[in-house]
Amino acid sequence: MSVVEFGGTGQGVLLLHGLMSRATAWWPVAQWLRPFGRVVAVDQRGHGRNPRRGPFRTEDFVADAARAIEELGLGPAVVVGHSMGGLHAWCLAATRPDLVSAIVVEDFAPDNRGRTTDEWKWLFDAWPVPFESLGHIRSYFGAELFCDYFEERSDGWHLIAEMDDLYEIAAHWGTRAYWDFIDAVRCPSLVVEAGRGGQLPGQMAEAARRSGGQYLYVEEAGHVVHDSAPWVYRGAVEAFLSTSISPV
């Protein structure tokens, strides 16, 4: 595993990043999560410094997260996931309820059957890689957080993930629905949907309803709600955790 310890003690808080991202990108969120416990993030397979390149089934990612909780002594943990990481939080809570005390799912719809990477692959393929500098990355994406996704090599800045791996991971989501997992979640849950995130409408609200969770729609937010609407996200998560677990 590739693990980042952000500090804190007591209750385990496991952070699961989204597609293309990495564990260190959680740094701003981790700073205010520390009062709730020991905050840890992992690079998921195919991302960051994790050497494992596959297979890329959802069950493989979930097994990795379960192993992280067990080996790091975090359980039962609060699991906070963005996008892909939110999906894995749902599925982990459903299949290993002994390891999960509560979940926060940020902007991922549970049923993407029929959708393909062709909808957005062209955008990734158009990137001017390698990027010339961190400033180039900021200018191109219009957001600071993307700098965390890249590393400097001899010829410039490259994504710390293989594009073919990302396409394979995302293509898997278009082949199945995850409602059975949603229905099996019994722990407290918070579902945060971005108004400008591009998810299929109604699904996240339905997922919250079916799992008995709380739901927040952030109309002005982009896909990474914790970056585009950080105070709204923080307020919602802190309120949820304050009523779901005991702060340290």
Side-chain angles (χ1 to χ4, degrees):
M1 289 184 291
S2 177
V3 178
V4 178
E5 292 269 5
F6 286 111
T9 60
Q11 163 89 56
V13 180
L14 179 66
L15 307 180
L16 299 177
H17 62 75
L19 189 74
M20 190 176 77
S21 187
R22 59 186 302 201
T24 55
W26 281 111
W27 187 88
V29 172
Q31 304 314 297
W32 51 262
L33 276 176
R34 282 198 295 257
F36 293 96
R38 175 188 169 196
V39 184
V40 178
V42 295
D43 285 329
Q44 300 189 77
R45 59 175 62 195
H47 293 76
R49 302 299 180 191
N50 191 326
R52 183 164 289 180
R53 290 283 305 279
F56 292 123
R57 299 172 306 154
T58 301
E59 286 77 7
D60 300 311
F61 286 99
V62 172
D64 291 343
R67 184 167 66 91
I69 292 174
E70 291 174 327
E71 293 189 3
L72 296 171
L74 300 174
V78 174
V79 182
V80 179
H82 169 249
S83 193
M84 174 184 75
L87 169 65
H88 300 158
W90 260 326
C91 295
L92 179 63
T95 57
R96 290 297 307 271
D98 56 311
L99 297 181
V100 181
S101 60
I103 58 173
V104 176
V105 175
E106 179 186 350
D107 213 45
F108 190 91
D111 188 350
N112 284 289
R113 286 176 295 180
R115 303 187 77 174
T116 72
T117 58
D118 292 339
E119 296 178 26
W120 49 266
K121 182 177 182 293
W122 62 272
L123 185 62
F124 280 36
D125 291 342
W127 288 2
V129 290
F131 288 88
E132 298 174 10
S133 67
L134 289 175
H136 188 192
I137 296 169
R138 292 188 194 98
S139 175
Y140 186 83
F141 292 104
E144 179 72 26
L145 88 157
F146 282 92
C147 293
D148 279 315
Y149 304 173
F150 290 80
E151 66 176 354
E152 188 176 20
R153 301 176 190 168
S154 60
D155 61 340
W157 291 79
H158 293 261
L159 188 70
I160 311 180
E162 296 294 332
M163 299 305 299
D164 287 344
D165 291 350
L166 303 185
Y167 298 148
E168 182 179 344
I169 293 167
H172 178 70
W173 303 332
T175 66
R176 60 191 298 189
Y178 293 90
W179 293 114
D180 288 348
F181 291 93
I182 304 302
D183 291 339
V185 172
R186 295 292 180 268
C187 68
S189 61
L190 170 64
V191 180
V192 181
E193 181 173 4
R196 297 187 289 110
Q199 300 296 337
L200 295 172
Q203 288 198 18
M204 295 189 70
E206 175 65 9
R209 186 192 67 79
R210 290 170 66 156
S211 60
Q214 300 179 32
Y215 171 73
L216 175 65
Y217 181 79
V218 188
E219 183 176 3
E220 71 276 16
H223 178 53
V224 189
V225 183
H226 65 262
D227 180 72
S228 59
W231 292 105
V232 176
Y233 178 84
R234 176 177 177 175
V237 174
E238 287 183 330
F240 167 71
L241 294 181
S242 294
T243 57
S244 300
I245 65 171
S246 299
V248 177

